[in-house]
Amino acid sequence: MKALSVAQALLWARQQLEAMDEAALDAEILLAHAIDKNRTWLKTWPEYILSEDQASRFEDFISRRRQGEPTAYIIGEQEFWSLTFKVTRDTLIPRPETELLVELALQRIPSDQMYTIADLGTGSGAIALAIASERPQATVWALDMSEPALKVAQANAESNQIDNVAFEQASWLSEWQHGLLDMIVSNPPYVAPNDPHLADLVYEPVTALVAEDKGLSDIREITQQTTGHLKPGGHLLFEHGFDQGAAVREILQQAGYEQIETVKDYAGLDRVTLGLCSKG
Ligand SMILES: C[S@@+](CC[C@H](N)C(=O)[O-])C[C@H]1O[C@@H](n2cnc3c(N)ncnc32)[C@H](O)[C@@H]1O
């Protein structure tokens, strides 16, 4: 590539990515990362000439993005709940719609009392760390069966200086031995194995995405395992697919949960279903 200024590099990249949503934003994020600056710096120095190394890094990033690799994996991080999360190919990229689950959880967690929460299938730690950052007096357990994902989550706790989170490698609550919980939250795999959207998600770990039984098998298994682990009146909250609200409500109902409701996300789609553990 010939010597290019920041402005020229961005123009070239936008043309390369023109078929993709967010081409302009991706171009800026990738260029900022390639030259180790932030996006404000790019706007301040549009005439800065990229070194050969910087230009070749940027070219490589744009070529990977053109092939469909998510920007978050190329730069190795993603913003969620105003925190910066390291992400790798072992972790799902945290999605903006998952902030609804965090919001609903926080509405139910007192800010002046001890409270114990488990985040099942924590991945990068997005949900557990967002909750823990807002409720320093609470203890949040972050569980995942994937050891590499848990290592990323632990690194994210350290980089965000959050110390009220404990980590455990386990399949859901099958080995839980830490007493009764006030709340369980989970964004489990919920994509059906034959869902056509999977074709757009080839970079993310299939174990983070896909569940049998029309995407409901993990939600069903987790719900069954919560029996005996939640305090009476404790909360269970699931993120799920836009067309799974009725099925998840029924799963919670059959397990004896009360005050079950489904909450829509900002796009108006069913996204989170929650219920209260029966007081018996
Ligand atoms: C949809 S991802 C959610 C990641 C993260 N909580 C988020 O919202 O970005 C589901 C997570 O569940 C984990 N998982 C899948 N099966 C599991 C199991 N049987 N026990 C524990 N974790 C599991 C995956 O490793 C993955 O990290």
Side-chain angles (χ1 to χ4, degrees), residues 92 94 98 119 121-124 126-127 144-146 170-172 187-189 207-208:
L92 188 91
T98 301
D119 171 25
T122 198
S124 64
I127 299 168
D144 207 291
M145 69 171 184
S146 157
S171 178
W172 306 135
N187 173 20
T207 46

Side-chain angles (χ1 to χ4, degrees), residues 45-97:
W45 302 102
E47 73 283 7
Y48 169 84
I49 303 291
L50 273 59
S51 72
E52 236 173 78
D53 275 2
Q54 289 171 334
S56 109
R57 250 158 75 88
F58 185 48
E59 216 176 343
D60 171 54
F61 290 169
I62 293 299
S63 139
R64 287 163 63 185
R65 184 70 197 106
R66 259 169 77 99
Q67 286 163 42
E69 185 171 348
T71 301
Y73 284 147
I74 300 173
I75 66 168
E77 61 184 44
Q78 173 73 18
E79 298 289 313
F80 179 83
W81 201 263
S82 307
L83 301 169
T84 301
F85 287 85
K86 170 182 171 181
V87 291
T88 70
R89 295 285 296 271
D90 295 307
T91 63
L92 188 91
I93 299 167
R95 307 291 204 268
E97 57 266 30

Side-chain angles (χ1 to χ4, degrees), residues 180-184 223 226-236 251-260 274-280:
L180 286 177
L181 290 155
D182 294 294
M183 175 181 280
I184 295 170
T223 307
T226 59
T227 312
H229 293 311
L230 262 181
K231 290 180 187 167
H235 301 269
L236 174 62
I251 291 170
L252 265 60
Q253 211 159 16
Q254 282 173 358
Y257 280 88
E258 295 172 348
Q259 298 184 36
I260 299 164
L274 52 141
L276 276 190
C277 182
S278 151
K279 292 199 168 139

